[in-house]
Amino acid sequence: MARGGGEWTVTGGGVVSYKRITLLVCSFNILIALFVLRFLYASSLHFYPNNRNAVRYTSDEIRKMEESTRIRRSKHPSELVRLVKKLKHDVATSESSVELSPNVKGKLVDEILERLKRLEEKSNVTLVREAVETWRSEKLKEAKELIQEQNGINSTVIVEEAGMLVRALELEWDALSEEIGFWLPAEVHNEEHDDKPEGEEEPEEILAGRPVPGVCNVELHTDYGGAAVRWGLTHHKESAADCCQACLDQAKRAKPGEMRCNIWVYCPSEFGCFSPDIYEHKHQECWLKYAEKPKRSFKDRYSEAYRNNHPKAPTIVPWVSGVVTA
């Protein structure tokens, strides 16, 4: 095949022009394009049928669909949705509430401190709580009266501040007292129950271990003060009698000028014994002490006032003590 001029010469003598070949190629492309368009049109009719060809349901099928819709609606948790919406609204309201300014909080702290200064030094938690509650009631009444007085006056700022103060004192007092650093320990109510039959004496308490000699002058539920001759934290004895004997032995061995034990204090409780210091006092602690004039710190029971100031204190004094003479 040879090419010459605007024609192709085919082996055998035939001649094919460029125009004829171009026409054939274009015709072939047009046929392919028509075929593709027909295929796409048929597909669109399959996926998006004309409304005239839509499926028609029978009355029984429509009734079943309506029944299914009714059941789905009846199972809808409308009450739960309502509660969730209410909870969201409450949270949004609480978060959007305006806090008191630092200046107002500072004034509240100063007023509380001024009110507490009027109390006696030995006032217990109950009296302090009553004083603060009285101040809060007076402050709340004062703020409400201020709102009523300012309603007729164009003073929006004062009314808003008074309203926030009323809300803080009346509804958010716990949160406000925490923010301003005011805290009181929980009020402790100590009730003593005496269910012993009338006329019956309490049984004599028995100490573990060997009997305590008479020279030890043992006193149950008693704690004596004095200078420590031997610390009980590291000095344990098997029984109260052994603790007393340790006191007597130390007094005999003491050199001139050294303190001689004349008080012994023992913890007989397996659960340990209470003391207002920072240490944890355990079972069988034996304290050897000295005092020129021995004096009891506690006897039989801790007072109610003492237990209010020391909430961990038990009702009964757990220690066993005695004063000996060398």
Side-chain angles (χ1 to χ4, degrees):
M1 181 175 68
R3 177 181 177 185
E7 300 177 342
W8 288 86
T9 302
V10 185
T11 305
V15 178
V16 181
S17 66
Y18 290 153
K19 294 180 179 179
R20 188 173 295 175
I21 291 174
T22 302
L23 181 60
L24 289 173
V25 172
C26 290
S27 300
F28 180 74
N29 288 339
I30 291 172
L31 289 174
I32 292 176
L34 291 174
F35 176 78
V36 172
L37 289 174
R38 185 178 182 281
F39 176 77
L40 293 176
Y41 179 71
S43 299
S44 65
L45 289 177
H46 175 73
F47 290 107
Y48 305 102
N50 194 288
N51 289 338
R52 289 176 296 180
N53 298 326
V55 179
R56 296 185 178 181
Y57 298 99
T58 63
S59 59
D60 186 54
E61 290 173 332
I62 294 174
R63 183 183 60 79
K64 290 181 178 180
M65 286 189 291
E66 291 176 349
E67 180 68 16
S68 176
T69 303
R70 186 187 64 79
I71 293 174
R72 285 199 303 271
R73 288 179 178 175
S74 65
K75 299 298 181 181
H76 184 68
S78 56
E79 182 65 18
L80 178 61
V81 172
R82 185 185 66 80
L83 292 175
V84 170
K85 289 182 178 179
K86 182 177 182 300
L87 180 60
K88 288 182 178 180
H89 178 267
D90 294 342
V91 171
T93 303
S94 62
E95 290 179 350
S96 61
S97 59
V98 183
E99 295 185 353
L100 294 175
S101 64
N103 186 30
V104 174
K105 291 180 181 178
K107 290 181 179 179
L108 296 180
V109 172
D110 293 339
E111 291 183 11
I112 293 175
L113 293 176
E114 184 64 29
R115 184 61 62 94
L116 295 180
K117 287 180 181 178
R118 303 176 188 174
L119 298 176
E120 298 179 0
E121 293 182 0
K122 297 183 179 181
S123 299
N124 55 27
V125 177
T126 303
L127 294 178
V128 173
R129 191 183 301 277
E130 290 177 355
V132 174
E133 287 298 323
T134 302
W135 167 85
R136 184 162 73 102
S137 300
E138 294 174 356
K139 197 68 180 177
L140 189 60
K141 181 180 179 181
E142 179 183 339
K144 290 181 178 180
E145 291 177 352
L146 180 62
I147 293 175
Q148 294 177 356
E149 293 175 359
Q150 296 295 329
N151 279 337
I153 305 174
N154 188 13
S155 181
T156 308
V157 177
I158 297 178
V159 173
E160 287 182 355
E161 289 185 352
M164 288 188 291
L165 183 59
V166 169
R167 178 183 176 85
L169 293 175
E170 193 170 26
L171 303 177
E172 302 174 357
W173 170 241
D174 292 337
L176 175 62
S177 57
E178 183 177 351
E179 288 180 10
I180 64 179
F182 177 72
W183 176 85
L184 281 176
E187 193 169 2
V188 180
H189 297 280
N190 299 297
E191 296 183 4
E192 300 177 4
H193 300 278
D194 186 7
D195 53 359
K196 181 184 64 177
E198 187 176 355
E200 182 178 338
E201 296 182 357
E202 294 186 1
E204 184 179 353
E205 188 169 345
I206 301 176
L207 292 173
R210 64 187 181 90
V212 182
V215 68
C216 295
N217 300 314
V218 60
E219 296 182 48
L220 301 179
H221 307 298
T222 307
D223 186 11
Y224 274 86
V229 177
R230 182 71 184 272
W231 275 56
L233 296 175
T234 56
H235 185 231
H236 289 200
K237 292 297 180 181
E238 291 293 328
S239 65
D242 294 331
C243 183
C244 171
Q245 188 61 49
C247 180
L248 295 173
D249 294 342
Q250 191 278 336
K252 292 178 182 178
R253 294 194 305 266
K255 298 178 181 180
E258 292 183 346
M259 289 190 298
R260 296 175 181 273
C261 176
N262 64 343
I263 301 170
W264 59 274
V265 181
Y266 182 74
C267 177
S269 173
E270 295 180 358
F271 304 102
C273 294
F274 169 79
S275 184
D277 55 34
I278 62 174
Y279 303 105
E280 180 182 358
H281 298 278
K282 298 182 179 180
H283 181 216
Q284 296 182 341
E285 278 189 15
C286 176
W287 288 77
L288 307 184
K289 301 182 180 182
Y290 168 79
E292 185 177 352
K293 295 181 179 180
K295 184 178 180 181
R296 297 185 185 94
S297 299
F298 301 100
K299 176 66 176 176
D300 294 332
R301 298 171 182 267
Y302 295 108
S303 66
E304 185 175 356
Y306 183 84
R307 281 180 282 142
N308 286 335
N309 293 327
H310 301 81
K312 292 184 179 180
T315 304
I316 306 297
V317 178
W319 298 95
V320 174
S321 305
V323 177
V324 298
T325 55

Coordinates of all heavy atoms in Angstrom, one line a residue, residues 40-95:
L40 N -28.2 4.3 28.6 CA -28.4 5.1 29.7 C -29.8 5.5 29.9 O -30.4 5.6 31.0 CB -27.5 6.4 29.6 CG -26.0 6.2 29.6 CD1 -25.3 7.5 29.4 CD2 -25.6 5.6 31.0
Y41 N -30.5 5.8 28.8 CA -32.0 6.1 28.9 C -32.8 5.0 29.5 O -33.7 5.1 30.3 CB -32.5 6.5 27.5 CG -34.0 6.9 27.5 CD1 -34.4 8.1 28.1 CD2 -34.9 6.1 26.9 CE1 -35.7 8.4 28.1 CE2 -36.2 6.4 26.9 CZ -36.7 7.6 27.5 OH -38.0 7.9 27.5
A42 N -32.5 3.8 29.0 CA -33.2 2.6 29.5 C -32.9 2.4 31.0 O -33.8 2.0 31.8 CB -32.8 1.4 28.7
S43 N -31.7 2.7 31.4 CA -31.4 2.5 32.9 C -32.1 3.5 33.7 O -32.6 3.2 34.8 CB -29.8 2.7 33.1 OG -29.1 1.7 32.3
S44 N -32.2 4.8 33.2 CA -33.0 5.8 34.0 C -34.4 5.4 34.1 O -35.1 5.7 35.1 CB -32.8 7.1 33.3 OG -33.4 7.1 32.0
L45 N -35.0 4.8 33.1 CA -36.4 4.4 33.2 C -36.5 3.3 34.2 O -37.6 3.2 34.9 CB -36.9 3.9 31.8 CG -37.1 5.0 30.8 CD1 -37.5 4.4 29.5 CD2 -38.1 6.1 31.2
H46 N -35.5 2.5 34.4 CA -35.6 1.4 35.3 C -35.5 1.9 36.8 O -36.3 1.4 37.6 CB -34.4 0.4 35.1 CG -34.4 -0.7 36.1 ND1 -35.3 -1.8 36.1 CD2 -33.5 -0.9 37.1 CE1 -35.0 -2.6 37.1 NE2 -33.9 -2.1 37.7
F47 N -34.6 2.8 37.1 CA -34.4 3.3 38.4 C -35.4 4.4 38.8 O -35.8 4.6 40.0 CB -33.0 3.9 38.6 CG -32.0 2.8 38.7 CD1 -31.1 2.6 37.6 CD2 -31.9 1.9 39.7 CE1 -30.2 1.6 37.6 CE2 -30.9 0.9 39.8 CZ -30.1 0.7 38.7
Y48 N -35.9 5.2 37.9 CA -36.8 6.3 38.1 C -38.1 6.1 37.3 O -38.2 6.8 36.2 CB -36.2 7.6 37.9 CG -34.9 7.8 38.6 CD1 -33.7 7.7 38.0 CD2 -34.9 8.2 40.0 CE1 -32.5 7.9 38.7 CE2 -33.8 8.3 40.7 CZ -32.5 8.2 40.0 OH -31.4 8.3 40.7
P49 N -38.9 5.2 37.6 CA -40.1 4.9 36.7 C -41.1 6.1 36.8 O -41.1 6.9 37.7 CB -40.7 3.7 37.4 CG -40.3 3.7 38.8 CD -38.9 4.3 38.8
N50 N -41.8 6.3 35.7 CA -42.8 7.4 35.6 C -43.9 7.1 36.6 O -44.3 6.0 37.0 CB -43.4 7.4 34.2 CG -44.1 8.6 33.9 OD1 -45.2 8.8 34.4 ND2 -43.6 9.5 33.1
N51 N -44.5 8.2 37.2 CA -45.6 8.1 38.2 C -46.7 7.3 37.7 O -47.4 6.7 38.4 CB -46.1 9.5 38.5 CG -45.0 10.3 39.4 OD1 -44.2 9.6 40.0 ND2 -45.1 11.6 39.3
R52 N -46.9 7.3 36.3 CA -48.0 6.5 35.8 C -47.8 5.0 36.0 O -48.7 4.2 36.0 CB -48.2 6.8 34.3 CG -48.7 8.2 34.0 CD -48.8 8.5 32.6 NE -47.4 8.5 32.0 CZ -47.2 8.8 30.7 NH1 -48.2 9.0 29.9 NH2 -45.9 8.8 30.3
N53 N -46.5 4.6 36.1 CA -46.2 3.2 36.3 C -45.9 2.9 37.8 O -45.3 1.9 38.1 CB -44.9 2.8 35.5 CG -45.2 3.0 34.0 OD1 -46.3 2.8 33.5 ND2 -44.1 3.4 33.3
A54 N -46.2 3.8 38.8 CA -46.0 3.6 40.2 C -46.8 2.4 40.7 O -47.9 2.1 40.2 CB -46.3 4.8 41.0
V55 N -46.3 1.8 41.8 CA -47.0 0.6 42.3 C -48.2 1.0 43.1 O -48.2 2.0 43.8 CB -46.0 -0.2 43.3 CG1 -46.7 -1.4 43.9 CG2 -44.8 -0.6 42.6
R56 N -49.3 0.3 42.8 CA -50.5 0.6 43.5 C -50.8 -0.5 44.5 O -50.7 -1.7 44.2 CB -51.7 0.7 42.5 CG -51.5 1.8 41.5 CD -52.7 1.9 40.6 NE -52.6 3.1 39.7 CZ -53.5 3.4 38.8 NH1 -54.6 2.6 38.7 NH2 -53.3 4.4 38.0
Y57 N -51.1 0.0 45.8 CA -51.4 -0.9 46.9 C -52.9 -1.2 47.1 O -53.7 -0.3 46.8 CB -50.8 -0.4 48.2 CG -49.3 -0.2 48.2 CD1 -48.7 1.1 47.9 CD2 -48.4 -1.2 48.4 CE1 -47.4 1.3 47.9 CE2 -47.1 -1.1 48.3 CZ -46.5 0.2 48.1 OH -45.2 0.4 48.1
T58 N -53.2 -2.3 47.5 CA -54.6 -2.7 47.8 C -55.0 -2.1 49.2 O -54.1 -1.6 49.9 CB -54.7 -4.2 47.9 OG1 -54.0 -4.7 49.0 CG2 -54.3 -4.8 46.6
S59 N -56.3 -2.0 49.4 CA -56.8 -1.5 50.7 C -56.3 -2.2 51.9 O -56.0 -1.7 52.9 CB -58.3 -1.4 50.7 OG -58.8 -2.8 50.5
D60 N -56.1 -3.6 51.7 CA -55.6 -4.4 52.8 C -54.2 -4.0 53.1 O -53.8 -3.9 54.3 CB -55.7 -5.8 52.5 CG -55.4 -6.7 53.7 OD1 -56.0 -6.6 54.8 OD2 -54.5 -7.6 53.5
E61 N -53.3 -3.8 52.1 CA -51.9 -3.5 52.3 C -51.8 -2.1 52.9 O -51.0 -1.9 53.8 CB -51.2 -3.5 50.9 CG -51.0 -4.9 50.4 CD -50.4 -4.9 49.0 OE1 -50.6 -3.9 48.3 OE2 -49.8 -5.9 48.6
I62 N -52.7 -1.2 52.5 CA -52.6 0.2 53.1 C -53.0 0.1 54.6 O -52.4 0.8 55.4 CB -53.6 1.1 52.3 CG1 -53.1 1.3 50.9 CG2 -53.8 2.5 53.1 CD1 -54.0 2.1 50.0
R63 N -54.0 -0.7 54.9 CA -54.4 -0.8 56.3 C -53.3 -1.4 57.1 O -53.0 -0.9 58.3 CB -55.6 -1.8 56.4 CG -56.2 -1.9 57.8 CD -57.4 -2.9 57.8 NE -56.9 -4.2 57.3 CZ -56.3 -5.1 58.1 NH1 -56.0 -4.8 59.3 NH2 -56.0 -6.3 57.5
K64 N -52.5 -2.4 56.6 CA -51.4 -3.0 57.4 C -50.3 -1.9 57.6 O -49.7 -1.9 58.6 CB -50.9 -4.2 56.6 CG -51.9 -5.4 56.7 CD -51.3 -6.6 56.0 CE -52.2 -7.8 56.0 NZ -51.7 -9.0 55.3
M65 N -50.0 -1.1 56.5 CA -49.0 -0.1 56.7 C -49.4 0.9 57.7 O -48.6 1.4 58.5 CB -48.7 0.6 55.3 CG -48.0 -0.3 54.4 SD -47.4 0.6 52.9 CE -49.0 0.8 52.1
E66 N -50.7 1.3 57.7 CA -51.1 2.3 58.7 C -51.0 1.7 60.1 O -50.7 2.4 61.1 CB -52.6 2.7 58.4 CG -52.7 3.6 57.2 CD -54.2 3.9 56.9 OE1 -55.1 3.2 57.5 OE2 -54.4 4.7 56.0
E67 N -51.4 0.4 60.3 CA -51.3 -0.2 61.6 C -49.8 -0.3 62.0 O -49.5 -0.1 63.2 CB -51.8 -1.7 61.5 CG -51.8 -2.5 62.8 CD -52.7 -1.9 63.8 OE1 -53.6 -1.1 63.5 OE2 -52.5 -2.3 65.0
S68 N -48.9 -0.5 61.1 CA -47.5 -0.6 61.4 C -47.0 0.8 61.9 O -46.2 0.9 62.9 CB -46.7 -1.0 60.2 OG -45.3 -1.0 60.5
T69 N -47.4 1.9 61.2 CA -47.1 3.2 61.6 C -47.6 3.6 63.0 O -46.9 4.2 63.8 CB -47.6 4.2 60.6 OG1 -47.1 3.9 59.3 CG2 -47.2 5.6 60.9
R70 N -48.8 3.2 63.3 CA -49.4 3.4 64.6 C -48.7 2.7 65.7 O -48.4 3.3 66.8 CB -50.9 2.9 64.6 CG -51.6 3.3 65.9 CD -53.0 2.7 65.9 NE -52.9 1.2 65.9 CZ -52.7 0.5 67.0 NH1 -52.4 1.2 68.2 NH2 -52.6 -0.8 67.0
I71 N -48.2 1.5 65.4 CA -47.5 0.7 66.5 C -46.1 1.4 66.7 O -45.7 1.5 67.9 CB -47.3 -0.7 66.0 CG1 -48.6 -1.4 66.0 CG2 -46.3 -1.5 66.9 CD1 -48.6 -2.8 65.4
R72 N -45.4 1.8 65.7 CA -44.2 2.5 65.8 C -44.3 3.8 66.7 O -43.5 4.1 67.5 CB -43.5 2.8 64.5 CG -42.9 1.6 63.8 CD -42.0 2.1 62.7 NE -42.6 3.0 61.7 CZ -43.2 2.6 60.6 NH1 -43.3 1.3 60.3 NH2 -43.7 3.5 59.8
R73 N -45.4 4.5 66.4 CA -45.6 5.8 67.2 C -45.9 5.5 68.6 O -45.5 6.2 69.5 CB -46.7 6.6 66.5 CG -46.3 7.2 65.2 CD -47.5 7.9 64.6 NE -47.1 8.6 63.3 CZ -47.9 9.3 62.5 NH1 -49.2 9.3 62.9 NH2 -47.5 9.8 61.4
S74 N -46.7 4.4 68.9 CA -47.0 4.1 70.3 C -45.8 3.6 71.1 O -45.7 3.8 72.3 CB -48.1 3.0 70.3 OG -47.5 1.7 69.7
K75 N -44.8 3.1 70.4 CA -43.6 2.6 71.1 C -42.5 3.8 71.2 O -41.5 3.6 71.8 CB -42.9 1.5 70.3 CG -43.8 0.2 70.2 CD -44.1 -0.4 71.5 CE -44.9 -1.6 71.4 NZ -45.2 -2.2 72.7
H76 N -42.8 4.9 70.7 CA -41.9 6.0 70.8 C -41.8 6.5 72.2 O -42.8 6.8 72.8 CB -42.4 7.2 69.9 CG -41.5 8.4 69.8 ND1 -40.2 8.3 69.2 CD2 -41.6 9.6 70.3 CE1 -39.6 9.4 69.3 NE2 -40.4 10.3 70.0
P77 N -40.6 6.6 72.8 CA -40.4 7.0 74.2 C -40.6 8.5 74.4 O -39.7 9.3 74.7 CB -39.0 6.6 74.5 CG -38.3 6.8 73.2 CD -39.3 6.4 72.1
S78 N -41.9 8.9 74.3 CA -42.2 10.4 74.4 C -41.9 10.9 75.7 O -41.4 12.1 75.9 CB -43.6 10.6 74.0 OG -44.5 9.8 74.8
E79 N -42.2 10.1 76.8 CA -41.9 10.6 78.2 C -40.5 10.8 78.4 O -40.0 11.8 79.0 CB -42.5 9.6 79.2 CG -42.4 10.0 80.6 CD -43.2 11.3 81.0 OE1 -44.1 11.6 80.2 OE2 -42.8 11.9 82.0
L80 N -39.7 9.8 77.9 CA -38.2 9.9 78.1 C -37.7 11.1 77.3 O -36.8 11.9 77.8 CB -37.5 8.7 77.6 CG -36.0 8.6 77.7 CD1 -35.5 8.8 79.1 CD2 -35.5 7.3 77.1
V81 N -38.2 11.4 76.1 CA -37.7 12.5 75.3 C -38.1 13.8 76.1 O -37.3 14.8 76.1 CB -38.4 12.5 73.9 CG1 -38.1 13.8 73.2 CG2 -37.9 11.3 73.1
R82 N -39.3 13.9 76.7 CA -39.7 15.1 77.4 C -38.8 15.3 78.6 O -38.4 16.5 78.9 CB -41.1 14.9 77.9 CG -41.7 16.2 78.5 CD -43.1 15.9 79.1 NE -43.0 14.9 80.2 CZ -42.7 15.3 81.4 NH1 -42.4 16.5 81.7 NH2 -42.7 14.4 82.4
L83 N -38.4 14.3 79.3 CA -37.6 14.4 80.5 C -36.2 14.9 80.1 O -35.5 15.7 80.7 CB -37.5 13.1 81.3 CG -38.8 12.7 82.0 CD1 -38.6 11.3 82.6 CD2 -39.2 13.7 83.0
V84 N -35.7 14.3 79.0 CA -34.3 14.7 78.5 C -34.3 16.2 78.1 O -33.4 16.9 78.4 CB -33.9 13.8 77.3 CG1 -32.7 14.4 76.6 CG2 -33.7 12.4 77.8
K85 N -35.4 16.6 77.4 CA -35.5 18.0 77.0 C -35.5 18.9 78.2 O -34.9 20.0 78.3 CB -36.7 18.3 76.1 CG -36.6 17.7 74.7 CD -37.9 18.0 73.9 CE -37.7 17.4 72.5 NZ -38.9 17.6 71.7
K86 N -36.3 18.5 79.3 CA -36.4 19.3 80.5 C -35.0 19.4 81.2 O -34.6 20.4 81.7 CB -37.4 18.7 81.4 CG -37.6 19.5 82.7 CD -38.7 18.9 83.6 CE -39.0 19.7 84.8 NZ -37.8 19.8 85.7
L87 N -34.3 18.2 81.2 CA -33.0 18.2 81.8 C -32.0 19.1 81.1 O -31.3 19.8 81.7 CB -32.5 16.8 81.8 CG -31.1 16.6 82.5 CD1 -31.1 17.0 83.9 CD2 -30.6 15.1 82.4
K88 N -32.1 19.1 79.8 CA -31.2 20.0 79.0 C -31.5 21.4 79.3 O -30.6 22.3 79.4 CB -31.4 19.7 77.5 CG -30.7 18.4 77.0 CD -30.9 18.2 75.5 CE -30.2 16.9 75.1 NZ -30.4 16.7 73.6
H89 N -32.8 21.7 79.4 CA -33.2 23.1 79.7 C -32.7 23.5 81.1 O -32.2 24.7 81.3 CB -34.7 23.2 79.6 CG -35.2 24.6 80.0 ND1 -35.6 24.9 81.2 CD2 -35.4 25.7 79.2 CE1 -36.0 26.2 81.3 NE2 -35.9 26.7 80.0
D90 N -32.8 22.6 82.1 CA -32.4 23.0 83.4 C -30.9 23.2 83.5 O -30.4 24.1 84.1 CB -32.8 21.9 84.4 CG -34.3 21.8 84.6 OD1 -35.0 22.7 84.2 OD2 -34.8 20.7 85.0
V91 N -30.1 22.3 82.8 CA -28.7 22.5 82.8 C -28.3 23.8 82.1 O -27.4 24.5 82.6 CB -28.0 21.3 82.0 CG1 -26.5 21.5 81.8 CG2 -28.3 20.0 82.8
A92 N -29.0 24.1 81.0 CA -28.6 25.3 80.3 C -29.0 26.5 81.1 O -28.2 27.5 81.1 CB -29.4 25.4 79.0
T93 N -30.1 26.4 81.9 CA -30.4 27.6 82.8 C -29.4 27.8 83.9 O -29.0 28.9 84.2 CB -31.8 27.3 83.4 OG1 -32.8 27.1 82.3 CG2 -32.3 28.5 84.2
S94 N -29.0 26.7 84.5 CA -28.0 26.8 85.6 C -26.7 27.3 85.1 O -26.0 28.0 85.8 CB -27.9 25.4 86.3 OG -27.4 24.4 85.4
E95 N -26.3 26.8 83.9 CA -25.0 27.3 83.4 C -25.0 28.7 82.9 O -24.0 29.4 82.9 CB -24.6 26.4 82.2 CG -24.3 25.0 82.6 CD -23.9 24.1 81.4 OE1 -24.1 24.6 80.2 OE2 -23.4 23.0 81.5

